[in-house]
Amino acid sequence: MGITLFIKKLIYFMLPFGVYLIVVFFVDPFNYINRVPFSHDPEKTKIALEESPHLFKLVAFRNDPKSNLVLGDSRSNGIYPQFDNGSWSNLAYGGASLREIIDSYWFSVKYAQLDTVLIGVSLSQYSRFNKRFWVEETIERQSSFLAYTLNKHTFNATFRFLGKRLLPDDHSPSVDSQATEDFEAEKQYHWSKKLDEVDKFFSNLGYPSDYFEQLKEIAADCERRGTVLLFWVPPSHTDYRSKVLEYQVDEYEATFLEDLSSLGSVYHFDFPSTLTNDYENFRDPVHFTDPIARVLFEVLTGLKDHVGIYRLL
């Protein structure tokens, strides 16, 4: 009798977990299984990218690796839509550290023979103190179905998607007669906020000798595989650059550019030019607009030269 009661209690205890596994299997918010009816649902993709862009993009690459790869932070993510997504993959994440870029490269070569790797690196990322490691954590989260189902991002995305399906939002978007004024006010708010963040990145720079050695390993690996390795330094508005220069970074920046150019070709956009002087070219001091993303793409791919806005190192 005691054993029977124990088995019943165990079943009751395990039942919710079993139901949850079944729900995750059929919803599969990050397409880990990639064989369910919702695999290409736009709403599910939107929710997954909000919950964990790292997990969504790493799983997407594992499922369908392309031969060309974009790495970097939100600036690289911003330029990616200009590329052909049939031949280019995107492993760029907002706020990415150099460590995450390095981890993403080594993840990618497990699944693809790469023709081209385009890495966006800014001066603020080139510091031993900028060491976020979410990619390492995310690789572990997609290492098995159990690890995938038991992380908070899968749980949250699963039930957010079910909520959207069971309780759809029928509200139509309201029309705001003050849209232009509100947009400008919002831009000014984020502009000031980004300028205030300069101190966080530049008051405590430290030369990333370990990261540079790891980048040299990547360069050597690319040479061995016949992969073209390109770097680009994203533009920032001169308002931002003026604040950065208050931290006496001239020599540090020169070393940064010299290091990158020793590894591969470098397209340097972050200096005073017609691009970086124009307020209308940016959403905030470090994020360019979509038309500028197109200009940068044209330079990086050789479609147009756009003389004066970049230096090839």
Side-chain angles (χ1 to χ4, degrees):
M1 182 66 70
I3 295 177
T4 303
L5 182 61
F6 171 77
I7 292 174
K8 286 182 178 180
K9 288 184 176 181
L10 183 62
I11 291 173
Y12 292 148
F13 176 78
M14 295 297 294
L15 186 60
F17 179 65
V19 171
Y20 170 67
L21 290 181
I22 293 171
V23 170
V24 171
F25 180 86
F26 282 102
V27 173
D28 190 19
F30 295 95
N31 297 329
Y32 179 86
I33 302 163
N34 205 33
R35 292 187 178 89
V36 300
F38 305 123
S39 290
H40 303 291
D41 188 291
E43 187 64 44
K44 191 179 81 165
T45 298
K46 178 176 179 292
I47 290 171
L49 283 169
E50 290 172 353
E51 282 293 332
S52 178
H54 299 71
L55 184 56
F56 182 84
K57 291 178 178 181
L58 289 171
V59 171
F61 187 88
R62 189 201 64 185
N63 289 339
D64 186 21
K66 306 299 195 308
S67 59
N68 303 288
L69 180 62
V70 171
L71 295 171
D73 63 7
S74 54
R75 277 75 63 90
S76 291
N77 191 55
I79 202 175
Y80 173 74
Q82 304 298 324
F83 289 87
D84 173 18
N85 62 15
S87 58
W88 284 80
S89 288
N90 178 14
L91 292 181
Y93 331 96
S97 66
L98 196 52
R99 174 176 175 178
E100 290 180 316
I101 291 171
I102 292 166
D103 287 345
S104 295
Y105 173 81
W106 292 115
F107 174 85
S108 71
V109 295
K110 293 178 181 178
Y111 299 96
Q113 169 57 44
L114 299 173
D115 294 333
T116 306
V117 176
L118 177 64
I119 302 179
V121 186
S122 64
L123 184 62
S124 62
Q125 290 171 291
Y126 203 67
S127 172
R128 69 173 182 267
F129 300 117
N130 192 337
K131 52 187 178 182
R132 198 178 75 175
F133 57 92
W134 292 357
V135 167
E136 180 182 333
E137 294 178 336
T138 304
I139 290 172
E140 179 60 30
R141 289 180 184 130
Q142 59 89 59
S143 62
S144 70
F145 180 68
L146 193 60
Y148 170 66
T149 58
L150 294 182
N151 80 83
K152 65 178 181 179
H153 300 297
T154 300
F155 179 89
N156 291 341
T158 295
F159 287 99
R160 281 184 61 189
F161 177 71
L162 288 177
K164 288 286 187 181
R165 278 287 174 264
L166 298 175
L167 300 169
D169 183 3
D170 294 327
H171 298 296
S172 300
S174 58
V175 178
D176 185 357
S177 61
Q178 301 296 316
T180 302
E181 290 82 355
D182 289 348
F183 173 80
E184 183 58 31
E186 186 78 5
K187 180 175 178 177
Q188 285 291 339
Y189 168 77
H190 288 291
W191 198 275
S192 297
K193 188 175 180 180
K194 283 295 180 185
L195 293 179
D196 290 340
E197 291 176 356
V198 170
D199 184 73
K200 178 176 73 173
F201 294 107
F202 292 95
S203 62
N204 191 29
L205 283 174
Y207 183 74
S209 53
D210 288 346
Y211 290 154
F212 182 45
E213 290 302 315
Q214 292 174 53
L215 286 174
K216 286 197 284 188
E217 291 174 8
I218 287 176
D221 190 63
C222 285
E223 185 175 4
R224 181 177 65 82
R225 295 172 182 271
T227 302
V228 176
L229 177 62
L230 301 173
F231 293 92
W232 70 294
V233 181
S236 61
H237 189 268
T238 48
D239 285 358
Y240 190 86
R241 183 164 178 81
S242 295
K243 295 275 288 184
V244 170
L245 291 177
E246 293 175 7
Y247 291 85
Q248 309 299 315
V249 298
D250 301 72
E251 291 186 11
Y252 191 90
E253 182 180 42
T255 300
F256 160 63
L257 295 173
E258 183 180 340
D259 285 354
L260 290 189
S261 62
S262 71
L263 305 173
S265 296
V266 181
Y267 289 83
H268 179 33
F269 295 93
D270 196 21
F271 60 90
S273 69
T274 54
L275 189 163
T276 58
N277 288 336
D278 193 338
Y279 175 80
E280 298 302 325
N281 288 340
F282 294 84
R283 294 183 288 112
D284 64 44
V286 296
H287 293 101
F288 43 80
T289 61
D290 290 342
I292 294 304
R294 181 66 190 178
V295 170
L296 299 174
F297 167 78
E298 289 171 349
V299 171
L300 292 170
T301 57
L303 290 177
K304 290 185 181 179
D305 196 17
H306 295 285
V307 175
I309 68 166
Y310 76 100
R311 296 167 182 161
L312 181 58
L313 308 178

